[in-house]
């Protein structure tokens, strides 16, 4: 393993700063930021087949079917394998995590080195998401849909924390701090972890 963390997953609820931190890490380490949500929104904007198939799920804040997202992610991961990547938004269910682990059997170059778990209190998540709704106007950032997405996170995605902890690659970071401080904490934790590995 190199001295640089190049295959990372950000695991955090909506509003925790996952996308912001993923973008900062990508810049810091010179790796690619792969956001499943951004990829899906681009497909919707293009009106592609996949975009038409997923539009309603996105609007309601429901998870899109695993097979659709898997195809899209495999293509994207293969393109980024050389450079390295920080994954943002996939895997987000145990089923997807198992699929991601399966991929590694054939493609060891996409195996995760570290998973970052950003922890932020629930009230703060709500506050940030409503603030973001006003700024960005995303159709899934309204009160009821936000609550729905957070519920899905608790039910479907949070179990991944234990899943990756048991693989020995989970790093927990306090996300309830200014963004620059969170980035500093993440970089320190990642660098120490990769050096130790
Ligand atoms: P957030 O994490 O704030 O919900 P994202 O941009 O990550 O925002 O995701 C937006 C939407 O895209 C989700 O509500 C879901 O409909 C879809 N989506 C993104 N990633 C996945 C995934 N891994 N599996 C299924 N659906 C996904």
């Amino acid at each position: 393993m190199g001295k640089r963390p190049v295959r990372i997953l950000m695991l955090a609820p909506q509003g925790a700063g996952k996308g912001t931190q993923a973008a900062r890490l990508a810049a810091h380490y010179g790796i690619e930021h792969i956001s499943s949500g951004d990829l899906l929104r681009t497909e919707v904007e293009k009106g592609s087949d996949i975009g038409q198939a997923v539009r309603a799920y996105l609007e309601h804040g429901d998870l899109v079917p695993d097979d659709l997202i898997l195809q899209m992610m495999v293509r994207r991961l293969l393109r980024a394998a050389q450079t390295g990547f920080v994954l943002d938004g996939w895997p987000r269910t145990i089923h997807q995590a198992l699929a991601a682990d399966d991929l590694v059997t054939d493609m060891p170059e996409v195996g995760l080195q570290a998973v970052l778990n950003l922890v932020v209190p629930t009230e703060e998540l709500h506050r940030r998401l409503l603030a973001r709704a006003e700024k960005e106007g995303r159709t899934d950032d309204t009160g009821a849909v936000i609550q729905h997405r957070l519920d899905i996170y608790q039910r479907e995605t949070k179990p991944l924390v234990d899943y990756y902890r048991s693989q020995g690659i989970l790093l927990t970071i306090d996300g309830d701090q200014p963004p620059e401080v969170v980035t500093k904490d993440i970089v320190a934790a990642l660098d120490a972890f990769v050096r130790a590995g």
Side-chain angles (χ1 to χ4, degrees):
M1 190 185 287
K3 289 264 184 290
R4 211 163 54 97
V6 289
R7 294 184 309 277
I8 310 164
L9 166 65
M10 298 286 309
L11 198 59
Q14 292 75 5
K18 174 168 57 81
T20 305
Q21 295 300 329
R24 284 165 166 258
L25 291 183
H28 181 87
Y29 292 114
I31 57 183
E32 297 188 37
H33 175 195
I34 305 181
S35 158
S36 55
D38 284 350
L39 290 173
L40 290 168
R41 280 184 289 275
T42 303
E43 295 298 327
V44 171
E45 277 160 30
K46 285 197 299 206
S48 67
D49 286 349
I50 190 170
Q52 291 181 31
V54 303
R55 176 194 292 275
Y57 293 96
L58 264 75
E59 275 172 10
H60 297 127
D62 287 320
L63 296 181
V64 313
D66 284 340
D67 51 331
L68 285 180
I69 190 125
L70 181 63
Q71 285 175 30
M72 194 180 78
M73 294 309 296
V74 170
R75 276 201 301 271
R76 189 68 191 81
L77 278 173
L78 283 176
R79 273 208 286 134
Q82 283 290 332
T83 316
F85 51 80
V86 45
L87 281 175
D88 162 8
W90 183 90
R92 70 165 78 191
T93 64
I94 288 285
H95 187 250
Q96 292 178 1
L98 292 169
D101 281 352
D102 267 357
L103 282 182
V104 178
T105 317
D106 291 332
M107 300 182 266
E109 69 273 26
V110 301
L112 293 173
Q113 289 168 292
V115 177
L116 291 158
N117 177 30
L118 275 187
V119 180
V120 175
T122 311
E123 318 79 70
E124 175 65 10
L125 297 177
H126 277 274
R127 204 188 56 69
R128 291 187 193 174
L129 285 167
L130 289 170
R132 179 173 91 185
E134 292 189 3
K135 268 212 319 250
E136 295 180 11
R138 252 173 64 171
T139 52
D140 58 352
D141 276 347
T142 58
V145 179
I146 286 174
Q147 186 57 53
H148 183 58
R149 280 155 56 224
L150 288 170
D151 290 345
I152 292 180
Y153 180 85
Q154 287 298 323
R155 204 174 57 231
E156 305 280 347
T157 311
K158 203 145 176 239
L160 295 189
V161 171
D162 285 336
Y163 180 83
Y164 289 116
R165 184 181 289 125
S166 72
Q167 292 192 356
I169 56 173
L170 188 81
L171 301 172
T172 300
I173 306 289
D174 177 8
D176 194 11
Q177 314 181 78
E180 321 69 67
V181 181
V182 176
T183 309
K184 230 192 280 165
D185 284 3
I186 293 176
V187 167
L190 271 175
D191 288 346
F193 182 71
V194 171
R195 261 199 311 276

